[in-house]
Amino acid sequence: MENLFRLVDQDQGFFQRKWTLVNGPLIVGAGPSGLATAACLREQGVPSVVLERAECIASLWQKRAYDRLKLHLPKQFCQLPKVPFPEDFPEYPTKKQFIEYLESYAKRFDINPKFNECVQSARYDETSGFWRVKTVRGSNKAEFEYICRWLVVATGENAESVVPDIDGLADFGGEVIHASEYKSGEKFKGQNVLVVGCGNSGMEVSLDLANHNASPSMVVRSSVSFII
């Protein structure tokens, strides 16, 4: 508490802002990693607060994943701590099944993230030993601040879309989308579609386009080996 007083003394406008002191770790992100962290902490009797910028858990899976997506590894390697996948789930659960599993997981451990709250900055105050995490919440973008001793960043490696800078792309007259915006090849039926990249997403998007009677072509930066 003495350290908190030091923090307040350093910031003259501290009490003019809305803030709260977190009694435990602050977790940023309500995807699989954030949920697993909160669950393990709860199992040890440690309270936590989970912040999520979207209005749902696992927003990457719910909002930015194509319809045909399945787990790329067998389910036993993808289950979260303490809770295995249901026995009747296939070896490679579908997108819908994985979301159901995550929602059930959050309910089981009584994890209730603060939705529609986007972190703007996080700064560690060495004098007080506290993290100061500033957010904006809701449609009115109200500013808020969390004070905590421990900060867990669980935003995932694919939280932001990365689109390469390609010469002439701005002059292209057709539609350009990132894989996170792709849902189904149905809308591209009968069209020529260029897929850039041959990772998991590129391969599956190309297959989905072909299954919907589009004509996909793929551009790959380096050589690719196929096992038949």
Side-chain angles (χ1 to χ4, degrees), residues 28 119-124 131-134 151 153:
V28 182
V119 172
Q120 301 297 294
S121 66
R123 181 173 64 86
Y124 183 70
W131 282 94
R132 303 184 62 174
V133 181
K134 295 183 179 181
L151 175 64
V153 180

Side-chain angles (χ1 to χ4, degrees), residues 63-65 161 163 175-184:
K63 295 178 172 295
R64 299 171 60 193
S161 303
V163 179
E175 182 180 6
V176 179
I177 63 172
H178 187 269
S180 63
E181 302 171 72
Y182 180 90
K183 295 300 180 184
S184 168

